[in-house]
Amino acid sequence: MQQILVQKFGGTSVQSEENRNYVMQHIKNALMNDHKVIVVVSALGRKPDPYATDSLLDLVDFPKNYNSSRELDILMSCGEKIASVVLSNELKKNHIRASALTGAQAGFITSDDFNEAKIKEVKPNRVFEAFKEHDVVVVAGFQGQTSDGDITTIGRGGSDTTAAAIGAAVNAERIEIFTDVNGIMTADPNMVRAARPLDIVTYTEISNLAYQGAKVIHPRAVEIAMQAKIPMRVRSTYIEDEGTLITASRIQELGTDIPDRLITGIAHMTSITQISVQTKDETDGLQSEVFKAMAESGISVDFINISPTGVLYTVPDSQTDKAVRILKTMGFYPEITRNCAKVSAVGAGMTGVPGVASKIVQSLTDAGVQILQSADSHTTIWVLIHEDDVKVAVNALHDVFALNIAEEKLV
Ligand code: ADP
Ligand code: ASP
Ligand code: MG
């Protein structure tokens, strides 16, 4: 059989007929290169477009009137289903042999963690069956079904993961993620004007950047492609540029021994609350009590700092009230700082290089940004700041590491 290419188109790419004409062109190019194509689609557009995921959620007053996560998945899965049929219909009008499948029909079996289901298995028999009569199979992203037949969705931004998982299941030649920016960039281009597209990056660098908030690709998608050893490309729907190649080794692709970049990019995440719980005396067990209570209530904690008389940590703003209620019931008086942001400098090349953290602190201080907390690993340095400072902070770090300049121009 011919090689299979997976092409995923995000919400803005399939938003209007005009945008879908660009989509059509990419699919036609792949067919001309003698591929069979699995096209994965997101829901059409962004809120207030009527069939965008957030618009569907508004129909049931989510999150105010949220009651059944199982039913929410029935609702949310409709956006991608609609998109798959709209695109398949337009492909047929263009004389392309196309067929649409829901996630369940394409073989996605998931856990029953509604709204955040985990893909357990993909059985692509029906996709192969469809390829006997068709050249393009359009699969609705972001969804699957449990082994009992309940419809599930796999977490926001999950259509990228659909693309990677189906690519792995059919052993695709490549997985292409088409979006509204020109590839993976050194920072969110909506935040940093000088941000520059990266040409070749490793799976590890990008899953790190994605976990820290670079929403251009879902981190789970990168991990699945990495395990299956399938190269990915992230590129713009609207221009011909090749965008960013994600692969195992930059050296192998470039053919030269270019070391890892010190810093690959700057990512940011907003809507975070810092919580401080202090006691006057050194109370045995405070730390474990607090974190046990958070875990039992399903509250995800981050940025944990522990001292003999207290703990400092962060939670998403959406979980602050719940966390505070629990802490008060336990007899603590937490201090909270809402509307914080986490800014991360990510790069495999910082391992063992002295002075990276001090450069970060210096540049933020010079820019007048107050650092509320910080942490580091061998590939990432994180700072917690006030959300109002996020643009200044991301730009300051982008500047201090000269990320606007391509590395070959730096040597
Ligand atoms: P899609 O609907 O195509 O999946 P998303 O909105 O999920 O698109 O992701 C694309 C967006 O990701 C861009 O518009 C950009 O604002 C944002 N983004 C955040 N960080 C980065 C980055 N490092 N590089 C490129 N885009 C980024
Ligand atoms: N439509 C879903 C969302 O908005 C999935 C996706 O776009 O990837 O999160
Ligand atoms: Mg996305």
Side-chain angles (χ1 to χ4, degrees):
M1 195 173 119
Q2 290 150 280
Q3 286 274 19
I4 298 176
L5 197 64
V6 176
Q7 298 190 320
K8 178 258 169 177
F9 296 93
T12 48
S13 303
V14 288
Q15 184 165 32
S16 61
E17 199 172 341
E18 190 189 344
N19 291 4
R20 289 193 297 273
N21 283 334
Y22 287 95
V23 169
M24 201 76 64
Q25 201 48 54
H26 291 294
I27 298 172
K28 284 182 179 167
N29 289 347
L31 293 174
M32 270 183 337
N33 286 323
D34 207 24
H35 282 100
K36 291 276 189 187
V37 192
I38 298 176
V39 173
V40 174
V41 283
S42 287
L44 305 177
R46 294 263 179 277
K47 187 177 162 182
D49 293 319
Y51 309 116
T53 308
D54 286 308
S55 307
L56 298 176
L57 287 171
D58 278 355
L59 293 174
V60 292
D61 232 356
F62 176 85
K64 239 183 9 211
N65 269 351
Y66 166 79
N67 47 27
S68 164
S69 50
R70 184 187 64 79
E71 291 178 5
L72 272 186
D73 273 356
I74 301 177
L75 177 69
M76 279 198 285
S77 67
C78 294
E80 272 70 11
K81 284 182 196 154
I82 292 170
S84 68
V85 176
V86 169
L87 186 62
S88 160
N89 185 50
E90 285 172 2
L91 287 163
K92 286 178 212 174
K93 279 199 223 156
N94 276 264
H95 312 290
I96 294 171
R97 300 188 309 158
S99 174
L101 295 176
T102 66
Q105 290 168 340
F108 280 78
I109 313 286
T110 73
S111 68
D112 62 0
D113 306 299
F114 296 106
N115 309 175
E116 290 286 346
K118 306 280 168 298
I119 299 171
K120 285 179 156 174
E121 200 184 349
V122 184
K123 294 182 181 164
N125 319 24
R126 186 127 178 217
V127 174
F128 286 124
E129 201 52 42
F131 275 143
K132 290 186 185 156
E133 303 280 319
H134 302 93
D135 296 313
V136 179
V137 178
V138 188
V139 175
F142 174 56
Q143 57 186 274
Q145 70 177 358
T146 65
S147 41
D148 293 336
D150 276 331
I151 292 173
T152 51
T153 65
I154 59 171
R156 299 304 303 269
S159 297
D160 296 334
T161 311
T162 303
I166 194 103
V170 303
N171 195 21
E173 183 184 291
R174 193 166 63 249
I175 299 159
E176 299 185 330
I177 307 289
F178 287 89
T179 184
D180 59 354
V181 287
N182 195 8
I184 298 173
M185 308 184 68
T186 47
D188 185 343
N190 287 324
M191 186 69 80
V192 178
R193 268 171 89 200
R196 177 179 59 81
L198 296 158
D199 49 3
I200 301 177
V201 291
T202 63
Y203 296 111
T204 332
E205 284 178 300
I206 285 325
S207 74
N208 271 346
L209 208 58
Y211 270 117
Q212 302 313 326
K215 74 158 185 167
V216 62
I217 186 154
H218 197 289
R220 193 68 202 109
V222 183
E223 285 172 353
I224 292 172
M226 174 164 74
Q227 274 158 17
K229 300 193 171 63
I230 300 178
M232 289 185 116
R233 243 183 213 293
V234 178
R235 50 184 292 199
S236 163
T237 301
Y238 311 105
I239 56 170
E240 270 312 309
D241 197 280
E242 298 231 295
T244 305
L245 175 68
I246 313 178
T247 176
S249 151
R250 296 172 67 234
I251 293 171
Q252 197 180 315
E253 291 295 331
L254 294 166
T256 62
D257 192 7
I258 295 181
D260 282 326
R261 280 175 273 254
L262 184 65
I263 304 286
T264 308
I266 313 294
H268 68 276
M269 222 183 255
T270 54
S271 307
I272 295 171
T273 298
Q274 186 190 43
I275 300 185
S276 166
V277 185
Q278 300 294 324
T279 52
K280 291 210 174 63
D281 310 309
E282 292 192 15
T283 319
D284 265 348
L286 157 73
Q287 292 90 346
S288 58
E289 259 178 63
V290 167
F291 294 120
K292 193 163 155 239
M294 295 295 120
E296 280 169 0
S297 310
I299 298 175
S300 54
V301 299
D302 192 13
F303 254 120
I304 301 168
N305 276 171
I306 297 179
S307 69
T309 56
V311 292
L312 192 60
Y313 64 100
T314 61
V315 300
D317 279 346
S318 58
Q319 297 191 310
T320 307
D321 292 343
K322 190 171 162 192
V324 169
R325 235 180 295 125
I326 293 167
L327 290 166
K328 285 192 172 158
T329 324
M330 294 168 72
F332 296 122
Y333 297 94
E335 270 175 42
I336 62 165
T337 312
R338 289 180 201 260
N339 303 325
C340 297
K342 176 163 117 172
V343 175
S344 315
V346 178
M350 72 168 75
T351 311
V353 177
V356 179
S358 77
K359 215 167 167 181
I360 288 178
V361 173
Q362 188 65 52
S363 70
L364 293 179
T365 313
D366 291 349
V369 174
Q370 187 188 18
I371 299 173
L372 302 171
Q373 241 180 293
S374 71
D376 65 274
S377 77
H378 62 293
T379 57
T380 309
I381 295 177
W382 298 270
V383 289
L384 187 73
I385 59 171
H386 293 290
E387 202 168 288
D388 288 348
D389 290 335
V390 71
K391 191 165 185 173
V392 173
V394 175
N395 276 280
L397 298 185
H398 199 268
D399 281 352
V400 77
F401 291 108
L403 296 184
N404 59 324
I405 301 168
E407 67 212 287
E408 51 275 22
K409 301 209 174 95
L410 286 175
V411 285

